[in-house]
PDB file of all heavy atoms in Angstrom:
ATOM      1  N   GLY X 175     163.953  74.272 117.019  1.00 91.00           N
ATOM      2  CA  GLY X 175     164.365  75.530 117.753  1.00 91.00           C
ATOM      3  C   GLY X 175     164.327  76.715 116.761  1.00 91.00           C
ATOM      4  O   GLY X 175     163.804  76.635 115.697  1.00 91.00           O
ATOM      5  N   GLN X 177     167.189  78.694 116.190  1.00 82.00           N
ATOM      6  CA  GLN X 177     168.582  79.203 115.893  1.00 82.00           C
ATOM      7  C   GLN X 177     168.670  80.014 114.591  1.00 82.00           C
ATOM      8  O   GLN X 177     168.107  79.599 113.586  1.00 82.00           O
ATOM      9  CB  GLN X 177     169.518  77.943 115.717  1.00 82.00           C
ATOM     10  CG  GLN X 177     169.468  76.987 116.890  1.00 82.00           C
ATOM     11  CD  GLN X 177     168.562  75.835 116.571  1.00 82.00           C
ATOM     12  OE1 GLN X 177     167.393  75.939 116.238  1.00 82.00           O
ATOM     13  NE2 GLN X 177     169.105  74.554 116.751  1.00 82.00           N
ATOM     14  N   GLN X 180     172.673  78.771 113.120  1.00 85.00           N
ATOM     15  CA  GLN X 180     172.965  77.325 113.009  1.00 85.00           C
ATOM     16  C   GLN X 180     171.746  76.639 112.478  1.00 85.00           C
ATOM     17  O   GLN X 180     170.594  76.872 112.857  1.00 85.00           O
ATOM     18  CB  GLN X 180     173.290  76.663 114.320  1.00 85.00           C
ATOM     19  CG  GLN X 180     174.684  77.009 114.856  1.00 85.00           C
ATOM     20  CD  GLN X 180     174.970  76.238 116.085  1.00 85.00           C
ATOM     21  OE1 GLN X 180     174.257  76.423 117.125  1.00 85.00           O
ATOM     22  NE2 GLN X 180     175.912  75.361 116.097  1.00 85.00           N
ATOM     23  N   TRP X 181     171.964  75.723 111.514  1.00 93.00           N
ATOM     24  CA  TRP X 181     170.803  74.969 110.945  1.00 93.00           C
ATOM     25  C   TRP X 181     170.410  73.947 111.988  1.00 93.00           C
ATOM     26  O   TRP X 181     169.198  73.522 112.005  1.00 93.00           O
ATOM     27  CB  TRP X 181     171.178  74.280 109.691  1.00 93.00           C
ATOM     28  CG  TRP X 181     171.462  75.258 108.569  1.00 93.00           C
ATOM     29  CD1 TRP X 181     172.747  75.539 108.022  1.00 93.00           C
ATOM     30  CD2 TRP X 181     170.601  76.148 107.840  1.00 93.00           C
ATOM     31  NE1 TRP X 181     172.640  76.487 107.099  1.00 93.00           N
ATOM     32  CE2 TRP X 181     171.403  76.918 106.940  1.00 93.00           C
ATOM     33  CE3 TRP X 181     169.259  76.354 107.960  1.00 93.00           C
ATOM     34  CZ2 TRP X 181     170.772  77.888 106.104  1.00 93.00           C
ATOM     35  CZ3 TRP X 181     168.690  77.256 107.097  1.00 93.00           C
ATOM     36  CH2 TRP X 181     169.476  77.992 106.263  1.00 93.00           C
ATOM     37  N   PHE X 192     166.920  71.132 115.412  1.00 96.00           N
ATOM     38  CA  PHE X 192     166.930  71.781 114.138  1.00 96.00           C
ATOM     39  C   PHE X 192     166.231  73.109 114.200  1.00 96.00           C
ATOM     40  O   PHE X 192     165.252  73.288 114.872  1.00 96.00           O
ATOM     41  CB  PHE X 192     166.237  70.967 113.027  1.00 96.00           C
ATOM     42  CG  PHE X 192     166.851  69.564 112.699  1.00 96.00           C
ATOM     43  CD1 PHE X 192     166.296  68.449 113.152  1.00 96.00           C
ATOM     44  CD2 PHE X 192     168.068  69.630 112.009  1.00 96.00           C
ATOM     45  CE1 PHE X 192     166.902  67.247 112.861  1.00 96.00           C
ATOM     46  CE2 PHE X 192     168.686  68.386 111.707  1.00 96.00           C
ATOM     47  CZ  PHE X 192     168.044  67.203 112.143  1.00 96.00           C
ATOM     48  N   SER X 193     166.774  74.101 113.408  1.00 94.00           N
ATOM     49  CA  SER X 193     166.022  75.387 113.211  1.00 94.00           C
ATOM     50  C   SER X 193     164.867  75.149 112.246  1.00 94.00           C
ATOM     51  O   SER X 193     165.040  74.459 111.276  1.00 94.00           O
ATOM     52  CB  SER X 193     167.025  76.418 112.725  1.00 94.00           C
ATOM     53  OG  SER X 193     166.245  77.621 112.333  1.00 94.00           O
ATOM     54  N   TRP X 194     163.731  75.777 112.536  1.00 96.00           N
ATOM     55  CA  TRP X 194     162.635  75.696 111.670  1.00 96.00           C
ATOM     56  C   TRP X 194     163.005  76.281 110.247  1.00 96.00           C
ATOM     57  O   TRP X 194     162.370  75.971 109.228  1.00 96.00           O
ATOM     58  CB  TRP X 194     161.369  76.439 112.183  1.00 96.00           C
ATOM     59  CG  TRP X 194     161.613  77.867 112.662  1.00 96.00           C
ATOM     60  CD1 TRP X 194     161.875  78.302 113.855  1.00 96.00           C
ATOM     61  CD2 TRP X 194     161.671  79.057 111.785  1.00 96.00           C
ATOM     62  NE1 TRP X 194     162.022  79.666 113.893  1.00 96.00           N
ATOM     63  CE2 TRP X 194     161.923  80.151 112.620  1.00 96.00           C
ATOM     64  CE3 TRP X 194     161.548  79.254 110.441  1.00 96.00           C
ATOM     65  CZ2 TRP X 194     162.062  81.397 112.204  1.00 96.00           C
ATOM     66  CZ3 TRP X 194     161.642  80.534 109.881  1.00 96.00           C
ATOM     67  CH2 TRP X 194     161.968  81.621 110.809  1.00 96.00           C
ATOM     68  N   ARG X 195     164.046  77.149 110.184  1.00 95.00           N
ATOM     69  CA  ARG X 195     164.480  77.688 108.892  1.00 95.00           C
ATOM     70  C   ARG X 195     164.963  76.686 107.961  1.00 95.00           C
ATOM     71  O   ARG X 195     165.077  76.919 106.721  1.00 95.00           O
ATOM     72  CB  ARG X 195     165.585  78.714 109.154  1.00 95.00           C
ATOM     73  CG  ARG X 195     165.081  79.949 109.891  1.00 95.00           C
ATOM     74  CD  ARG X 195     166.180  80.921 110.248  1.00 95.00           C
ATOM     75  NE  ARG X 195     165.672  82.117 110.877  1.00 95.00           N
ATOM     76  CZ  ARG X 195     165.400  82.245 112.135  1.00 95.00           C
ATOM     77  NH1 ARG X 195     165.614  81.222 112.965  1.00 95.00           N
ATOM     78  NH2 ARG X 195     164.856  83.419 112.611  1.00 95.00           N
ATOM     79  N   VAL X 196     165.265  75.500 108.388  1.00 97.00           N
ATOM     80  CA  VAL X 196     165.712  74.336 107.527  1.00 97.00           C
ATOM     81  C   VAL X 196     164.669  74.046 106.432  1.00 97.00           C
ATOM     82  O   VAL X 196     164.962  73.721 105.317  1.00 97.00           O
ATOM     83  CB  VAL X 196     165.920  73.075 108.320  1.00 97.00           C
ATOM     84  CG1 VAL X 196     166.166  71.837 107.421  1.00 97.00           C
ATOM     85  CG2 VAL X 196     167.184  73.285 109.233  1.00 97.00           C
TER      86      VAL X 196
END
Side-chain angles (χ1 to χ4, degrees):
Q177 306 98 305
Q180 287 185 297
W181 298 108
F192 295 106
S193 171
W194 52 262
R195 292 175 175 84
V196 170

